[in-house]
Amino acid sequence: MGFRHRLVAAPVAARGDAVVEACVRLDTAAGYLSGGLTGDLDSLRTGFRRLGAVLGEPGNERTVRAALDRFLGRLPTDDGCLTVTIADWLREHATGPKDLTGPASAAAARVAPQALMDCAGDFMFTQDWPDARERYQRLLDEYPDDSRADAARKGVGKAGLAIELNRVGGLIEAADSMDSGYCGKPAKYSQAPAYREGRIGAVFVGDTEYTDKLPEEWRTDTARASLVVCAGEAEAGDVVETCRYRDHDGRIGSVRFNKLAVRVKGYALRTGKLVVDRTVQLGGESCPGVLRYFDALPSRMAVTPSSGDVRDAFGPVVGR
């Protein structure tokens, strides 16, 4: 419009200027809303505040709603977790007249269930089990009648088992004595095979000086084990025999040979409960022809167990 139009039709020209200004402000608001789609919640807040300001002026209801609908129509994003963040903000923090907050809440309810499933799936892929379970559980809590509820329940169960297995695995790695790691704080893995007396797959932890000599077929990995066997340090067990030796100075002395006594505790992995608590005794070679020692002739020594002796001692613990 030129000067002549403004002079002849000033009221109409003024209304036209107001419309142009409103459109510019709406474009600016739309830019902030677009920034919100990247997760910039401050930008999202600014966009809604500017929409509300334009809506507060008579005659802008339809144009504001059109701008809002264009923004909401871009949901969901390609990132499920980002969409959850935006939907949460739209439902809980969007401010302004009901003409803004109402459609925003409706859009959040429309996209949130699938976004929660997608976000949980992403966390499952990255093995972030607690966050995955939290997203699945949110869907069940907030949208219990959603068609995805059954899949979410399965997801909660799967993530929960993964959390259990991850915790158990960490405890087993940390168990280097009878009081540390799993041996100090036994935990359950609900999907472990049930413990039954007989031939079972076991994980051996604690002091593994002798359990390391057990056959590989007695062992299994944590995910398939039904028993966690904690072994303590070997101590003197029953006396086997006493033999006489000549020391470095030519004097005759007696040496008593003892079995090796090892305290053993076994925990059923499915429940984390103690099912075996005993002391096993390892036999072995005693009274060798030549006795090697330092300083004075010892009065007591341990037998030297073979691999067979170790198997015989630990076999009853795992049903072998």
Side-chain angles (χ1 to χ4, degrees):
M1 291 185 296
F3 174 76
R4 181 170 59 85
H5 300 99
R6 297 181 182 279
L7 182 63
V8 174
V12 175
R15 286 197 296 273
D17 289 342
V19 169
V20 170
E21 181 186 359
C23 288
V24 170
R25 293 163 66 192
L26 286 176
D27 284 344
T28 302
Y32 281 107
L33 294 176
S34 294
L37 292 173
T38 67
D40 185 348
L41 300 183
D42 288 335
S43 182
L44 199 57
R45 185 176 296 106
T46 299
F48 265 81
R49 187 171 63 247
R50 288 177 178 260
L51 282 183
V54 177
L55 184 60
E57 299 169 1
N60 293 327
E61 293 82 2
R62 294 177 65 181
T63 53
V64 170
R65 181 56 189 268
L68 178 63
D69 286 347
R70 282 194 296 272
F71 162 69
L72 297 177
R74 296 172 66 184
L75 293 173
T77 70
D78 294 334
D79 185 324
C81 294
L82 174 59
T83 301
V84 170
T85 299
I86 296 171
D88 287 345
W89 189 92
L90 291 175
R91 185 175 58 244
E92 300 169 7
H93 301 291
T95 58
K98 190 173 182 180
D99 287 346
L100 293 180
T101 58
S105 295
R110 169 177 61 85
V111 303
Q114 185 59 52
L116 286 167
M117 288 295 291
D118 292 342
C119 183
D122 289 343
F123 282 128
M124 291 290 281
F125 180 77
T126 58
Q127 299 185 355
D128 190 343
W129 316 120
D131 281 335
R133 183 172 64 175
E134 189 271 337
R135 299 310 189 277
Y136 284 130
Q137 189 61 53
R138 271 194 60 185
L139 189 147
L140 293 173
D141 294 341
E142 298 174 13
Y143 306 96
D145 298 325
D146 190 83
S147 61
R148 307 165 185 84
D150 286 343
R153 269 186 285 272
K154 292 178 182 178
V156 168
K158 186 176 180 180
L161 288 172
I163 291 171
E164 286 184 2
L165 182 58
N166 189 57
R167 179 167 182 256
V168 165
L171 288 170
I172 285 175
E173 287 185 8
D176 56 8
S177 70
M178 285 290 278
D179 300 317
S180 63
Y182 193 95
C183 302
K185 295 181 179 179
K188 70 176 182 179
Y189 173 47
S190 302
Q191 205 171 31
Y195 169 77
R196 298 182 181 87
E197 291 186 2
R199 296 197 173 195
I200 54 177
V203 174
F204 296 88
V205 293
D207 188 320
T208 60
E209 179 181 358
Y210 295 104
T211 57
D212 281 348
K213 299 177 181 179
L214 294 173
E216 283 300 316
E217 58 266 24
W218 292 21
R219 309 170 185 277
T220 188
D221 57 41
T222 303
R224 290 192 287 266
S226 59
L227 185 70
V228 178
V229 178
C230 296
E233 293 184 4
E235 298 178 352
D238 295 343
V239 176
V240 176
E241 61 178 323
T242 302
C243 300
R244 297 174 67 80
Y245 291 91
R246 189 182 301 275
D247 67 13
H248 298 310
D249 297 324
R251 295 189 295 266
I252 301 296
S254 297
V255 179
R256 184 177 59 189
F257 284 82
N258 298 76
K259 290 183 178 181
L260 290 163
V262 178
R263 178 75 179 277
V264 175
K265 289 186 177 182
Y267 297 91
L269 187 54
R270 179 179 283 191
T271 62
K273 293 182 178 179
L274 182 68
V275 293
V276 176
D277 188 357
R278 65 171 72 178
T279 297
V280 301
Q281 297 208 48
L282 288 70
E285 180 185 357
S286 61
C287 293
V290 177
L291 186 67
R292 300 183 184 281
Y293 64 92
F294 296 97
D295 298 326
L297 182 71
S299 62
R300 183 176 67 181
M301 292 191 71
V303 299
T304 303
S306 65
S307 296
D309 294 321
V310 175
R311 287 197 300 272
D312 291 342
F314 284 93
V317 175
V318 292
R320 302 282 179 167

